[in-house]
Amino acid sequence: MTTYRISQLAVRRGVPATTLRFYEEAGLLPADRTPSGYRVYGEDAVERLAFISSAKLLGLALEEIPELLAVHAVNALRPQST
């Protein structure tokens, strides 16, 4: 599994690290911590950031996005019909 430190994720998604810290504080982007306290993110964080960016582009307020993320997570767990 690929993991990213905050600076790596910021470069990968083209956003400042301060934005990632803000999203974490707002409950939009959870981060694990290394034993030394560094934030680490999985590949799911890349997808989550893309979802947040898309929601913002649609004009949604940050306060509205957690509910959408919850619905998105539930739908992602459902088996897809063929």
Side-chain angles (χ1 to χ4, degrees):
M1 179 178 162
T2 303
T3 59
Y4 303 94
R5 289 210 175 158
I6 193 166
S7 60
Q8 295 168 316
L9 183 59
V11 168
R12 171 108 192 248
R13 288 297 307 156
V15 297
T18 53
T19 298
L20 302 180
R21 288 185 196 97
F22 177 79
Y23 286 169
E24 182 184 3
E25 289 177 22
L28 297 172
L29 186 67
D32 292 327
R33 299 286 180 146
T34 66
S36 51
Y38 291 102
R39 291 172 176 86
V40 288
Y41 302 90
E43 191 64 37
D44 59 319
V46 177
E47 181 181 324
R48 193 173 183 95
L49 279 170
F51 188 90
I52 293 168
S53 295
S54 296
K56 286 177 55 183
L57 284 172
L58 290 172
L60 296 170
L62 286 179
E63 295 80 21
E64 298 171 298
I65 297 175
E67 187 175 344
L68 287 177
L69 284 167
V71 171
H72 178 68
V74 168
N75 286 334
L77 295 175
R78 289 188 182 159
Q80 300 297 315
S81 60
T82 55

